[in-house]
């Protein structure tokens, strides 16, 4: 039994190297994976499939512990082929854990679901493509198909995928971004006219203050820790806002510093560490703005405001109208602490704000992000070295997917440019995001689901609803590297199409192919796999998409297969149809690739008004979406707010192991972090098994059982537990305003002791 007292005093260091080695040894391909790690993020190597953080491609090691896990997990000796599926029915597989499913190894041949036997059976690639084409062509409307994308797909594969969808006639491109940084895109587009971050990696060296909101980089972006450590050692002030005390943001030891590696020494990362209530960041930011406006007006940048922005007066009025009582109550922070953070912001000559899921997965995420921008605009902290906005993206190419047109609401300019060389007119109607796609599938309005990677069944909210929605599809096509829950959501017809991973050689007619990706700093660079493919029957994602398009649409308007034969041709097409990609093939020959121009970083504003815009919103009356507000009406009842987050041993729905080292958890995931005072109030003991029940006004029961209580340093009234285990608790209608993102960081729940029998169900493996 572990408890929070096992939490280490620093992150990184030797334990990190140890864990990397363990993972490599477990992969059953040790030599291969050691070679792999030396090629990660090198000029001639492959892009780390771990996260979207950028790198300068000059250092010795460009991988981290969790990147190594991602690489080793892909490059495993274990495989899943026809014999495996003959031995296990879908019904049997459905009883296994997510961990078990993926642990079976790499998928090696295309399979089709046979409803009569409840088994997947081998199918040839040609037959699989015919099946998809027949089904798509038989739909009454192109909008009855959903084309999901997860953020690992390359620029080449995702470009071709959206082109296929658009020629087919739909904008139904739900993607993982809808559950992730959607609010950042919406918020930034509205205020600065570009839905991406404005900084580059070098800005972290020039920054005098870095604010980190709702992000756990020690686990999810470990390479960012090097930038934070370096900044802190240069005297840059790092201010963290996090609901939990994440150890890496307190103290971090670089595995590359012998001193920090081998002794207890570590670098103090955060100059100030604030622990707001869940969803309390907007109020805290409002408090910072209030201090600067009312008590340090000399720190405003009137010239910047005047020249570049609109609506400052409205915003200033809204800030003045917000009282400190309200700010303190909603943020859960004392005025003095907020003022201390505001002083760092106001008195630093160059400030970067970073954020991730702790900001984007709430009802009022778009407004919170706009409040971050408001603060930067009023102090002129944009478009100069060391200053700007940095939504830290998740998946390694999620930003590139969007740039390539995986977007259910493409701009007119994007479509006009895309259709020009073909002399066609694409559908202008807004397509489905994840929320809308699941609703349409559930209602039987959408009939075909094609997923380019990911694991929608386990990633999406409201598990029962999502399962049912996916099962109702008449054809469920999953393009994947590993077996997962989404393959089991079948009742009619389904295909598993096995693809190559990032680390593998992609051989086409014209030779070994490069793919390209875009990191969180808008750097586009090439990636080349080097390993022998796990099976000759695995195809590249680009190849699979080209074949689907050729089978469905024919090749009279686009020669899909020729584009597939030589990705340089594909990139030549991207160069003429996607803004910013001129000379694409030549520019990826540069060692670090190239930077996509960012208008906002150059103080050019692509907003309708031609200015950066302040948004003067009120603090939300309630941070809960309407369907869960019942919780607030019942406030005298013991209701707590739950955030769902990642452990140190997982990649989204992929669970590598059962430890969460930095939070002191060993060998299990069915835990709920709780303030000891809340537990006392509810009469719960440490380690007691409890049920978590979601609060929602639709009368449906949503419950998970057998979670052990862990006393933890967490604000009263708040809870934390792991994703995806807690996804059953997020009601489908509980989404962010303007972003449609599931509110995975603010789930109102009731906590009750589990019935004794429930404990035995709590075993995960
Ligand atoms: N190893 C590894 N790397 C990954 C991933 C992975 O699963 N594993 N996933 C990738 C993906 S797709 C993404 S999107 C990113 C995710 O990266 P993160 O956003 O770091 O992921 P989460 O684990 O969801 O962590 C959310 C953090 O925000 C804090 N938080 C939650 N709610 C609030 C709040 O209301 N206010 C504040 N201030 N803090 C809050 C939590 O305590 C936690 O530290 O990582 C990417 N990289
Ligand atoms: N409750 C809760 N829910 C959440 C979140 C949360 O914080 N809390 N986070 C949300 C976020 S930020 C995200 S991004 C989504 C993630 O949603 P997804 O992106 O859909 O999920 P992943 O777990 O990243 O996908 C894992 C699967 O991808 C496949 N895969 C891996 N590599 C490749 C590859 O190279 N090619 C192909 N074709 N397939 C590959 C494997 O089969 C693996 O099973 O989940 C969201 N859901
Ligand atoms: Mo994400």
């Amino acid at each position: 039994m572990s408890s929070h007292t096992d939490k280490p005093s620093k992150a990184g260091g030797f334990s990190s190297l140890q864990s990397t080695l363990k993972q490599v040894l477990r992969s059953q391909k040790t030599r291969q994976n050691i070679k792999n790690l030396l090629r990660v993020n090198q000029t001639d190597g492959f892009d780390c499939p771990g996260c979207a953080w950028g790198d300068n491609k000059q250092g010795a090691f460009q991988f981290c512990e969790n990147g190594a896990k991602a690489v080793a997990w892909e490059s495993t000796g274990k495989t899943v082929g026809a014999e495996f599926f003959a031995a296990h029915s879908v019904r049997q597989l459905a009883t296994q854990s997510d961990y078990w499913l993926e642990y079976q190894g790499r998928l090696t041949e295309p399979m089709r679901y046979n409803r009569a036997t409840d088994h997947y059976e081998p199918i040839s690639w040609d037959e699989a493509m015919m099946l998809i084409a027949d089904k798509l062509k038989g739909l009454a409307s192109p909008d009855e198909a959903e084309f999901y994308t997860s953020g690992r797909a390359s620029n080449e594969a995702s470009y071709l995928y959206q082109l296929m969808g658009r020629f087919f006639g739909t904008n139904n491109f739900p993607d993982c971004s809808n559950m992730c940084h959607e609010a950042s895109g919406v918020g930034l587009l509205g205020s600065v006219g570009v839905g991406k971050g404005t900084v580059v990696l070098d800005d972290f060296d020039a920054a005098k203050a870095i604010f980190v909101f709702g992000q756990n980089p020690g686990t999810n972006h470990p390479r960012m820790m090097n930038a934070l450590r370096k900044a802190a050692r240069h005297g840059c002030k790092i201010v963290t806002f996090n609901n939990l005390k994440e150890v890496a943001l307190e103290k971090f030891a670089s595995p590359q510093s012998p001193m920090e590696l081998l002794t207890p020494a570590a670098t103090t990362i955060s100059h100030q560490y604030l622990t707001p209530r869940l969803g309390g960041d907007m109020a805290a930011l409002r408090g910072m703005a209030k201090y600067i406006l009312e008590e340090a007006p000399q720190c405003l940048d009137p010239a910047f405001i005047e020249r570049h922005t609109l609506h400052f007066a409205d915003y200033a009025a809204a800030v003045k109208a917000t009282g400190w009582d309200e700010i303190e109550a909603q943020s859960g922070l004392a005025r003095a602490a907020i003022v201390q953070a505001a002083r760092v912001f106001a008195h630093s000559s160059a400030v970067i704000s970073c954020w991730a899921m702790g900001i984007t997965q709430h009802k009022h995420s778009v407004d919170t992000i706009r409040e971050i921008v408001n603060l930067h605009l009023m102090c002129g902290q944009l478009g100069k070295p060391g200053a700007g906005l940095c939504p830290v993206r998740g998946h390694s190419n999620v930003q590139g997917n969007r740039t390539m047109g995986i977007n259910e609401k493409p701009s007119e300019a994007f479509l006009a440019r895309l259709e020009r060389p073909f002399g066609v007119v694409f559908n202008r109607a807004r397509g489905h995001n994840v929320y809308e796609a699941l609703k349409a599938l559930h209602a039987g309005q959408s009939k075909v689901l094609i997923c380019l990677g990911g694991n929608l069944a386990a990633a999406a909210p409201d598990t029962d609803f999502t399962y049912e929605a996916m099962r109702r599809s008449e054809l469920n096509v999953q393009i994947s590297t590993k077996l997962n829950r989404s393959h089991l959501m079948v009742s009619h017809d389904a295909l598993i199409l096995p693809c190559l991973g990032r680390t593998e050689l992609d051989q086409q007619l014209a030779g070994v192919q490069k793919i390209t990706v875009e990191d969180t700093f808008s750097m586009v660079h090439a990636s080349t796999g080097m390993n022998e493919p796990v099976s000759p029957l695995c195809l590249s994602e680009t190849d699979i998409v080209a074949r689907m398009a050729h089978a469905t649409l024919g090749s009279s308007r686009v020669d899909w297969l020729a584009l597939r034969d030589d990705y340089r041709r594909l990139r030549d097409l991207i160069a003429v149809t996607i803004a910013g990609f001129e000379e694409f093939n030549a520019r990826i020959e540069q060692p670090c690739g190239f930077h996509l121009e960012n208008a906002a970083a150059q103080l050019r504003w692509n907003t309708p008004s031609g200015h950066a815009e302040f948004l003067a919103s009120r603090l939300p009356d309630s941070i809960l979406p309407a369907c869960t507000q019942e919780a607030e009406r019942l406030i005298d009842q013991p209701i707590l707010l739950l955030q769902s987050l990642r452990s140190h041993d997982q990649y989204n729905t992929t669970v590598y192991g059962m430890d969460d080292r930095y939070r002191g958890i060993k060998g299990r995931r069915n835990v709920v972090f709780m303030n000891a005072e809340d537990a006392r109030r509810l009469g719960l003991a440490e380690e007691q098994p409890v049920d978590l029940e979601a609060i929602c006004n639709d009368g449906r029961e949503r419950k998970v059982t057998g979670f052990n209580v862990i006393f933890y340093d967490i604000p009263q009234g708040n809870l934390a537990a792991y994703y995806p285990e807690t996804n059953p608790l997020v009601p489908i209608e509980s989404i962010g305003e303007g972003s449609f993102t599931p509110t995975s960081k603010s789930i109102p729940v009731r906590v009750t002791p589990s019935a004794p029998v429930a404990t035995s169900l709590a075993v995960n493996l």
Side-chain angles (χ1 to χ4, degrees), residues 86 338 343 517:
I338 297 174
R343 290 175 60 83
V517 295

Side-chain angles (χ1 to χ4, degrees), residues 50-51 66 180 213-217 219-221 241-244 246 276-281 356-359 361-362 393-395 643-648 650-652 663 745:
C51 74
N66 279 350
C180 184
F213 295 97
Q215 189 196 350
N216 181 23
T219 287
N220 298 313
H221 303 92
F241 286 76
N242 198 304
N243 188 243
L244 302 176
E246 304 287 23
R277 290 225 170 93
L278 290 174
D281 301 82
M357 297 304 103
I359 292 297
Q361 296 178 332
H362 290 288
R393 302 280 161 168
H395 267 299
Q643 65 151 317
S644 56
L645 42 46
R646 292 154 174 79
S647 83
H648 194 64
Q650 73 181 88
Y651 194 91
N652 295 341
R663 301 195 185 101
K745 297 289 191 273

Side-chain angles (χ1 to χ4, degrees), residues 96-134:
Q96 298 290 353
S97 69
D98 292 329
Y99 176 84
W100 188 92
L101 293 175
E102 281 217 21
Y103 195 65
Q104 301 314 301
R106 287 285 301 277
L107 296 160
T108 55
E109 55 185 306
M111 306 294 298
R112 178 184 185 180
Y113 179 63
N114 181 338
R115 189 180 175 164
T117 62
D118 191 41
H119 282 260
Y120 272 99
E121 295 166 359
I123 182 173
S124 73
W125 275 104
D126 284 347
E127 283 171 309
M129 293 303 146
M130 292 281 288
L131 179 67
I132 295 171
D134 285 348

Side-chain angles (χ1 to χ4, degrees), residues 43-48 502 513-517 525-529:
T43 308
D44 57 346
F46 56 85
D47 181 69
C48 181
R502 197 60 78 73
Q513 301 295 312
K514 296 177 173 129
I515 54 108
T516 61
V517 295
H525 55 85
S527 166
T528 319

Side-chain angles (χ1 to χ4, degrees), residues 508-514 542 560-572 585:
Q508 302 297 341
L509 208 61
V512 173
Q513 301 295 312
K514 296 177 173 129
T542 309
W560 306 97
L561 300 180
L563 295 174
R564 177 272 324 257
D565 288 341
D566 185 348
Y567 297 179
R568 282 174 302 189
R569 284 187 206 138
L570 183 44
R571 284 189 289 271
D572 283 338
N585 276 308

Side-chain angles (χ1 to χ4, degrees), residues 439-477:
K439 299 254 293 189
L441 285 163
H442 198 272
Q445 287 154 0
S446 286
K447 300 189 163 66
V448 175
L449 171 66
I450 301 181
C451 293
L452 180 57
N455 182 0
L456 184 61
D462 217 344
T463 305
D464 287 348
F465 182 92
T466 289
Y467 281 10
E468 190 54 32
M470 290 180 72
R471 279 201 199 100
R472 286 184 187 172
S473 63
E474 291 176 12
L475 177 65
N476 173 3
V477 181

Side-chain angles (χ1 to χ4, degrees), residues 218-235:
T219 287
N220 298 313
H221 303 92
R223 285 177 296 131
M224 176 174 172
M225 290 313 305
N226 297 330
L228 293 180
R229 176 179 173 275
K230 198 165 147 206
R233 293 176 82 88
H234 288 161

